[in-house]
C-alpha cells in the first residue's frame, strides 16, 4: 500500500478510534482486543497505531512476561483475568491466553493434558466474558514464511531492533509447520460464534493495519459522544511572583545547540 493513502486513511481511522474510546468511557463499556500471530507478523505495529492517540488511562496494553513460579501454580487463565477491563476501559492483549495453544504447545512448555484442558476450557472462558457484557475481538495476523524470514533478517541487521529477535523467534523458523498445525487446531476449537477469529493478511504491514482497525471499528456499535466544551480562562494579572535566579537551579545542558542544521 502506498504511503500517502495509508497515512491519510490511518489518520482518519485513528480519529474514529478516539470517538470509540470516548464512547467506551462514557457508556462504561468493557472491550478486549486480542492480537495473536506468528513472530514478526505485525501485531506490535498494529497495536502501536491503534493506541497512538488514545488515553492510556482508558486504553491499556497487556503484554505479560513469562509466568512466575507462583503463577504456574494458578489456574491457567487467572493471570489474564487480572488484566481484564473494568467499566469504561479497553485492554489490548499483545499475545494472550492463546500462548498455551501456540508457543507452549510447539515448544513443549506445557503437557498434553494442560494443552487439551486449555482447548476444552477456552471457549467456555470466552463465552463467560461475553455473557458478562465484555466485548471480545480476536485478530490473527497471518504472515508468509518468506516475509517472516525477511523481517527477521531486517531485525538482525538493525541495531535499534535487534532486541526484537530472540532465540525463540529463530527457533520458530525451523518449526514453521509445527506452528501451522498448532494454529489450525486452535482455530477448530476456539473459533466460536460468540468470539470468532478474524484473520488479518499481514505481508503488507500498512494494508494489514488499515484493514484491522477498520474491521474493529465496524464491529463495535459506537457513536460520537459530545464532550464538555472547554475554554481557556484569561490569565490573571501578576501578583509579583519572580522566578529564582537560573544559577540557583540545575538545568539540563543544551545539547540541541551543538547540532548543526
Amino acid at each position: 500500500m502506498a504511503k500517502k493513502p495509508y497515512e491519510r486513511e490511518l489518520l482518519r481511522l485513528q480519529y474514529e478510534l478516539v470517538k470509540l474510546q470516548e464512547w467506551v468511557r462514557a457508556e462504561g463499556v468493557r472491550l478486549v482486543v486480542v492480537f495473536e500471530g506468528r513472530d514478526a507478523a505485525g501485531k506490535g505495529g498494529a497495536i502501536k497505531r491503534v493506541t497512538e492517540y488514545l488515553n492510556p488511562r482508558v486504553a491499556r496494553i497487556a503484554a505479560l512476561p513469562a509466568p512466575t513460579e507462583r503463577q504456574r501454580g494458578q489456574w491457567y487463565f487467572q493471570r489474564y483475568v487480572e488484566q481484564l477491563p473494568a467499566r469504561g476501559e479497553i485492554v489490548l492483549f499483545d499475545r494472550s491466553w492463546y500462548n498455551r495453544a501456540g508457543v507452549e504447545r510447539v515448544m513443549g512448555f506445557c503437557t498434553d493434558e494442560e494443552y487439551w484442558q486449555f482447548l476444552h476450557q477456552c471457549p467456555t472462558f470466552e463465552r463467560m466474558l461475553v455473557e458478562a457484557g465484555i466485548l471480545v475481538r480476536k485478530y490473527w495476523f497471518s504472515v508468509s514464511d518468506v516475509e517472516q524470514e525477511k523481517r527477521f533478517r531486517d531485525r538482525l541487521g538493525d541495531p535499534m531492533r535487534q532486541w526484537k529477535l530472540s532465540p525463540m523467534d529463530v527457533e520458530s523458523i525451523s518449526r514453521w509447520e509445527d506452528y501451522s498445525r498448532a494454529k489450525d487446531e486452535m482455530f477448530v476449537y476456539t473459533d466460536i460464534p460468540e468470539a470468532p477469529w478474524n484473520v488479518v493478511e499481514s505481508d503488507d504491514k500498512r494494508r494489514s493495519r488499515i484493514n484491522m482497525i477498520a474491521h474493529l471499528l465496524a464491529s463495535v456499535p459506537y457513536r460520537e459522544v459530545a464532550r464538555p466544551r472547554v475554554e481557556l480562562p484569561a490569565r490573571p494579572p501578576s501578583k509579583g511572583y519572580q522566578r529564582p535566579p537560573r544559577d540557583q537551579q540545575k538545568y539540563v545542558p543544551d545539547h540541541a545547540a551543538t547540532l548543526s542544521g
Side-chain angles (χ1 to χ4, degrees):
M1 187 175 185
K3 186 176 182 180
K4 282 189 176 181
Y6 162 72
E7 291 180 342
R8 182 170 59 247
E9 180 61 7
L10 177 62
L11 190 61
R12 187 190 72 82
L13 292 173
Q14 288 174 325
Y15 177 56
E16 292 299 318
L17 285 169
V18 172
K19 292 182 187 178
L20 170 66
Q21 167 194 264
E22 291 305 296
W23 173 77
V24 165
R25 183 188 56 77
E27 297 294 329
V29 174
R30 292 171 291 175
L31 173 60
V32 164
V33 188
V34 171
F35 292 78
E36 289 287 348
R38 297 177 187 270
D39 298 313
K43 303 179 296 297
I47 292 171
K48 187 179 294 185
R49 272 66 182 186
V50 169
T51 58
E52 186 171 1
Y53 293 103
L54 301 186
N55 184 344
R57 293 184 178 87
V58 176
R60 172 168 49 87
I61 300 170
L64 302 189
T68 64
E69 191 60 36
R70 181 176 183 277
Q71 288 170 333
R72 291 190 186 98
Q74 296 175 340
W75 176 49
Y76 176 72
F77 292 95
Q78 190 166 335
R79 72 188 190 120
Y80 295 103
V81 170
E82 294 171 354
Q83 299 295 324
L84 292 174
R87 290 189 183 92
E89 291 182 349
I90 303 169
V91 175
L92 300 94
F93 281 92
D94 185 356
R95 294 199 180 277
S96 65
W97 45 90
Y98 283 102
N99 273 345
R100 174 136 296 175
V103 173
E104 292 189 18
R105 172 62 167 173
V106 173
M107 301 302 295
F109 295 155
C110 67
T111 65
D112 285 348
E113 181 182 0
E114 289 171 331
Y115 170 71
W116 288 109
Q117 185 181 78
F118 169 82
L119 291 182
H120 174 71
Q121 291 183 350
C122 184
T124 302
F125 172 67
E126 291 180 356
R127 287 188 184 102
M128 290 173 64
L129 299 184
V130 174
E131 288 172 4
I134 298 175
L135 302 180
V136 178
R137 302 293 182 268
K138 302 187 310 195
Y139 293 97
W140 176 269
F141 284 72
S142 178
V143 65
S144 67
D145 53 349
V146 174
E147 180 62 22
Q148 184 194 50
E149 184 172 348
K150 176 183 176 298
R151 293 177 186 177
F152 281 166
R153 293 191 184 282
D154 289 343
R155 290 178 180 181
L156 193 62
D158 185 348
M160 301 293 280
R161 296 191 297 158
Q162 284 176 358
W163 64 269
K164 285 186 161 188
L165 192 60
S166 69
M168 197 80 69
D169 297 333
V170 176
E171 182 74 16
S172 69
I173 295 178
S174 60
R175 294 176 181 262
W176 178 271
E177 290 192 1
D178 293 336
Y179 274 103
S180 295
R181 293 188 184 96
K183 174 257 183 182
D184 292 344
E185 192 162 56
M186 179 185 79
F187 269 42
V188 168
Y189 286 88
T190 64
D191 187 18
I192 58 176
E194 297 87 347
W197 278 107
N198 301 286
V199 179
V200 182
E201 294 285 358
S202 62
D203 275 11
D204 182 332
K205 287 185 178 181
R206 292 172 182 168
R207 188 180 299 271
S208 70
R209 294 164 187 165
I210 294 296
N211 291 341
M212 178 264 146
I213 297 173
H215 181 276
L216 174 63
L217 290 167
S219 74
V220 178
Y222 72 98
R223 58 177 176 80
E224 187 168 4
V225 175
R227 292 180 56 82
R229 184 180 179 85
V230 178
E231 294 185 2
L232 293 179
R235 190 176 296 277
S238 172
K239 296 181 180 179
Y241 169 78
Q242 293 184 351
R243 294 180 62 178
R246 290 181 63 89
D247 58 8
Q248 292 183 7
Q249 298 176 347
K250 188 174 182 180
Y251 282 79
V252 172
D254 190 3
H255 173 69
T258 67
L259 304 178
S260 60

